[in-house]
């Protein structure tokens, strides 16, 4: 059995990040150690030692998950990280894209704020935006479909 030191400060910071962003879970890894904090019940788990810490239950405001078929769509642009999605560079500015917009490969289509950093999400291919799945200013999970480009 490997020895695993639980970093209570890291767990608290991740739990606060969940509260701030209204996410349901977050996971970080450093080497062989991983910490996953989830609000799907009342458990916060740390791996690989299988240690668990009780956490207060999150508010029952769960975001509706995108249909699974959109994630399998060949034109789906999926979230590369957990964070909050923004479709404009700043409040009040015009959005990067809208339904019907033509985009070029590599063009910024949105931003995802994670850990107080705004990360540009670029179009993986050229095409036309046929659907916007994510909601501006709302949290997104890893691998969640954000927009559809055909």
């Amino acid at each position: 059995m490997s020895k695993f030191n639980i970093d209570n400060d890291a767990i608290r910071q991740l739990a606060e990040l969940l509260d701030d962003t209204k996410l349901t879970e977050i996971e970080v890894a450093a080497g062989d150690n991983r910490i996953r904090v989830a609000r799907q019940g009342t458990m916060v788990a740390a791996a690989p030692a299988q240690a668990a810490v009780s956490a207060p239950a999150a508010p029952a405001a769960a975001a509706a998950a995108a249909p699974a078929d959109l994630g399998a769509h060949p034109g789906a642009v999926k979230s590369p990280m957990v964070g909050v999605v923004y479709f404009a560079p700043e409040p009040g500015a015009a959005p990067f894209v809208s339904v019907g917009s033509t985009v070029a490969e590599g063009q910024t289509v949105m931003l995802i704020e994670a850990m107080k950093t705004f990360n540009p999400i670029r179009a993986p291919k050229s095409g036309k935006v046929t659907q916007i799945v994510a909601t501006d200013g709302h949290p997104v999970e890893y691998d969640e479909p954000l927009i559809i480009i055909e």
Side-chain angles (χ1 to χ4, degrees):
M1 184 164 142
S2 66
K3 183 176 181 180
F4 181 71
N5 293 326
I6 297 175
D7 185 347
N8 291 331
D9 290 333
I11 292 172
R12 281 188 190 93
Q13 288 176 346
L14 292 172
E16 287 175 13
L17 183 60
L18 288 180
D19 288 340
D20 293 346
T21 60
K22 307 285 190 270
L23 294 172
T24 57
E25 67 181 71
I26 189 167
E27 183 173 335
V28 293
D32 291 337
N33 295 325
R34 290 183 332 154
I35 297 176
R36 179 175 167 266
V37 179
R39 297 250 189 224
Q40 296 170 343
T42 58
M43 296 293 291
V44 177
Q50 305 301 326
V53 179
S54 293
D69 58 320
L70 288 179
H73 191 286
V77 176
K78 297 180 182 179
S79 179
M81 65 190 71
V82 174
V84 178
V85 68
Y86 295 101
F87 287 103
E90 60 186 39
F96 291 108
V97 296
S98 57
V99 173
S101 297
T102 301
V103 296
E105 182 177 343
Q107 176 182 339
T108 299
V109 293
M110 71 195 73
L111 301 172
I112 294 182
E113 180 187 11
M115 307 277 301
K116 307 230 187 264
T117 301
F118 289 89
N119 303 281
I121 306 303
R122 302 186 190 287
K125 66 178 187 175
S126 297
K128 183 177 179 181
V129 176
T130 59
Q131 188 173 359
I132 296 178
V133 181
T135 304
D136 189 52
H138 285 81
V140 292
E141 300 287 337
Y142 173 77
D143 212 31
E144 180 178 328
L146 303 169
I147 64 172
I148 306 294
I149 299 175
E150 293 183 356

